[in-house]
Amino acid sequence: MKLYHKIFKSRDDMSVYLENMEPLISYDEELLNRLTNAHNTDELHDAKCSILKDFYDIYAFDASDAEFPEPIGHFDDEKEKRKFIRKKILLQDMAFYLGSVYKKYHSIIYQAHNRLPEIELKKLAIDYNEIYWKAMEDYIAALVTGEQHAVTASFVLPSLIEQGLGMVLQNRMLFKCIMQLNDLTEEEKKIIEPFLHNDKILFYGTEKFTMEKLYRLFVEKGVLKNATDNEMILTGVGQNGKRKLSRTLGGLLNSNFAKEEILPEYLAVMQNFFIKLNIRNCIMHGLGKTFDYLNIGLVSIMFQLLWDIVDCEIFKD
């Protein structure tokens, strides 16, 4: 059953559990079947999007209908308390639906192929590919043994998602702007020449220094709006007077370019996961006292997001 009246209850340690799980378990199987029954990449992509859309239908219903324990603590008014409860329901729904379904799906993939998706990230001073494999080994071990935590993966996946999202958004902006350029001078052609081929080129300078000329060219030619968040995506740092906007996960997800390019269901899940629920800080700083933020279901969500980002499945075109 997709929508039903949920009854959340509180344990002695103030953690929350769902008393009536049966309809949820049944619907999780239906969502899982959408993934496993896909015959090609297009069908699989449609299945992923449909699951995210269904998830938000479910959350919208639960936020107004579910029974939730009275929270302990001070709230300035009823509105603040209700906002707090809605966030707690969002967290529970993410773990129960997306986390559970993705975890089962990844287990099926691993059992069938003895591997999970491989990706290639930029090799900088930090080798993000090495970090990815450490996280992957940790995750696979947890899937195989039935552990409820993949600690290494929990801590490193937000950084990998930040790197991956920053890279693909920068590449899309670069490609779309270059494709709109025309009537270039010889000097302007030299600026874009290194980016027209797949050859590996070493730039002797910071990313900001290297990409700044491109950004200014795009703005002057009218193919890119002069905006702080656009500059941040392309050069790594946006400048607005004395204010600097660095390329962070929150900055990327709140940028106008991300809103234009990313499918709304994917953008919503990432904004809710990393901004509204602040999962990254909850993991890094141990902020959760009533929820296990190292829960393997959250790791499953992050791995699926990372793979879909790198494969560009999150985008509208």
Side-chain angles (χ1 to χ4, degrees):
M1 185 183 298
K2 179 178 176 179
L3 305 178
Y4 74 98
H5 181 70
K6 291 186 175 69
I7 302 172
F8 291 98
K9 291 197 172 181
S10 181
R11 299 186 181 93
D12 292 339
D13 62 1
M14 294 190 297
S15 63
V16 174
Y17 68 96
L18 181 60
E19 184 180 59
N20 50 341
M21 285 280 293
E22 291 77 12
L24 185 151
I25 294 171
S26 175
Y27 196 69
D28 270 4
E29 286 301 313
E30 181 179 326
L31 297 178
L32 179 62
N33 288 338
R34 294 184 196 176
L35 298 172
T36 57
N37 291 336
H39 296 99
N40 52 54
T41 54
D42 288 339
E43 288 185 9
L44 182 58
H45 174 71
D46 290 343
K48 292 174 185 176
C49 290
S50 73
I51 288 171
L52 293 178
K53 290 175 182 176
D54 273 15
F55 167 73
Y56 280 105
D57 289 342
I58 292 167
Y59 168 62
F61 177 81
D62 290 347
S64 60
D65 180 79
E67 292 183 33
F68 200 85
E70 186 72 13
I72 298 173
H74 171 75
F75 299 94
D76 288 339
D77 51 35
E78 189 64 26
K79 182 179 179 181
E80 183 184 13
K81 183 174 77 171
R82 189 62 203 163
K83 183 179 179 181
F84 175 84
I85 292 174
R86 286 172 64 92
K87 286 176 67 174
K88 293 297 182 182
I89 292 174
L90 174 62
L91 180 58
Q92 295 292 331
D93 278 358
M94 275 202 167
F96 281 139
Y97 286 98
L98 299 184
S100 176
V101 170
Y102 289 152
K103 178 190 170 187
K104 291 175 183 176
Y105 180 55
H106 299 163
S107 294
I108 291 171
I109 293 175
Y110 186 75
Q111 289 168 9
H113 304 288
N114 200 34
R115 58 188 287 271
L116 288 174
E118 301 174 6
I119 63 173
E120 184 77 18
L121 293 167
K122 287 194 293 186
K123 291 184 179 180
L124 305 173
I126 299 173
D127 187 349
Y128 285 96
N129 294 298
E130 179 184 2
I131 295 174
Y132 173 77
W133 282 110
K134 292 290 185 183
M136 176 60 69
E137 290 168 3
D138 187 37
Y139 183 49
I140 289 174
L143 291 179
V144 171
T145 61
E147 293 288 333
Q148 293 305 304
H149 297 135
V151 178
T152 301
S154 293
F155 276 85
V156 304
L157 278 169
S159 294
L160 294 177
I161 289 171
E162 182 177 84
Q163 286 294 322
L165 185 62
M167 179 175 64
V168 295
L169 283 175
Q170 183 190 55
N171 287 343
R172 285 178 76 82
M173 181 178 284
L174 187 62
F175 174 77
K176 290 196 170 189
C177 289
I178 287 177
M179 293 302 292
Q180 296 178 68
L181 292 175
N182 51 57
D183 299 326
L184 298 179
T185 66
E186 289 303 315
E187 190 64 30
E188 290 169 341
K189 289 178 182 178
K190 290 179 181 178
I191 295 175
I192 67 168
E193 177 63 25
F195 302 94
L196 298 179
H197 312 287
N198 289 325
D199 301 333
K200 291 185 177 180
I201 298 175
L202 180 63
F203 293 97
Y204 291 95
T206 64
E207 181 184 28
K208 176 72 174 175
F209 176 81
T210 303
M211 304 301 288
E212 187 72 29
K213 290 182 180 179
L214 268 176
Y215 177 73
R216 295 303 166 199
L217 175 63
F218 293 157
V219 171
E220 288 171 9
K221 293 295 182 179
V223 298
L224 185 65
K225 182 180 178 181
N226 186 17
T228 307
D229 55 351
N230 285 340
E231 185 179 9
M232 173 268 293
I233 291 171
L234 197 61
T235 72
V237 180
Q239 192 80 39
N240 184 9
K242 294 183 178 180
R243 176 176 169 266
K244 288 185 177 181
L245 178 64
S246 298
R247 190 194 291 139
T248 63
L249 187 52
L252 292 168
L253 292 173
N254 282 327
S255 68
N256 287 323
F257 188 69
K259 294 171 185 175
E260 293 168 1
E261 296 292 315
I262 298 175
L263 289 165
E265 53 267 35
Y266 271 105
L267 185 62
V269 75
M270 288 189 287
Q271 287 179 330
N272 278 320
F273 195 91
F274 291 110
I275 298 175
K276 188 172 184 177
L277 295 177
N278 202 15
I279 297 291
R280 186 180 197 172
N281 278 358
C282 289
I283 293 170
M284 296 295 177
H285 304 298
L287 300 181
K289 296 179 177 63
T290 60
F291 186 87
D292 180 9
Y293 285 96
L294 299 181
N295 179 293
I296 194 171
L298 301 186
V299 173
S300 300
I301 294 171
M302 288 191 283
F303 262 117
Q304 191 62 57
L305 286 174
L306 179 61
W307 295 332
D308 291 347
I309 287 168
V310 173
D311 287 340
C312 294
E313 288 197 56
I314 67 170
F315 295 112
K316 296 176 182 178
D317 55 27

